[in-house]
Amino acid sequence: MSNPQQLRYSKEHEWLSAAEDGVSVVGITEHAANALGDVVYVQLPAVGDTVTAGETCGELESTKSVSDLYSPVTGEVVEANQDVVDDPSLVNTAPFEGGWLFKVRVTDEPEDLLSADEYTQFSGS
């Protein structure tokens, strides 16, 4: 399993893309998707919602358990991935591509986000 170098990671196992025009993409890592098992339901924040770094903003339900989704940054949600809502298995099959969760206009980014190498060391993946 390899964590894309261009992304940053939270200790809650979310990834964050570099901002384009102030907007970043958020998803969960392959490590988290594997730990969850087969994802069968996804609840995402709605467009216009304000998310806060480190706080719950949604939920992922798998055949094994239910897990909270945490925002790695603070900002306003500008898009939720309807494809993942319609087909939650995308979180497992393509966590860094089609399985992304939402896009956020970032207003504050914590300083403790990890590089890919730091996240690999942290997660053991």
Side-chain angles (χ1 to χ4, degrees):
M1 176 174 1
S2 97
N3 298 302
Q5 292 292 318
Q6 73 275 17
L7 302 176
R8 283 163 294 148
Y9 301 85
S10 74
K11 290 185 177 179
E12 287 80 25
H13 307 285
E14 282 80 26
W15 58 261
L16 177 75
S17 72
E20 290 186 28
D21 296 325
V23 175
S24 290
V25 180
V26 174
I28 68 164
T29 66
E30 186 174 2
H31 173 81
N34 288 340
L36 274 171
D38 294 334
V39 176
V40 295
Y41 174 76
V42 177
Q43 177 195 1
L44 300 175
V47 171
D49 283 358
T50 298
V51 293
T52 303
E55 293 191 7
T56 303
C57 64
E59 188 176 89
L60 301 170
E61 184 177 326
S62 72
T63 54
K64 291 182 181 179
S65 66
V66 175
S67 180
D68 287 332
L69 171 65
Y70 296 91
S71 181
V73 293
T74 299
E76 180 184 345
V77 176
V78 297
E79 184 178 348
N81 187 352
Q82 188 60 45
D83 291 342
V84 165
V85 173
D86 294 341
D87 182 6
S89 71
L90 288 171
V91 172
N92 298 105
T93 60
F96 297 113
E97 294 89 25
W100 62 272
L101 300 176
F102 63 95
K103 294 182 181 180
V104 59
R105 184 169 308 285
V106 179
T107 57
D108 187 44
E109 184 176 309
E111 294 181 17
D112 64 350
L113 292 176
L114 306 172
S115 69
D117 293 338
E118 291 167 332
Y119 178 74
T120 299
Q121 187 173 26
F122 168 77
S123 65
S125 60

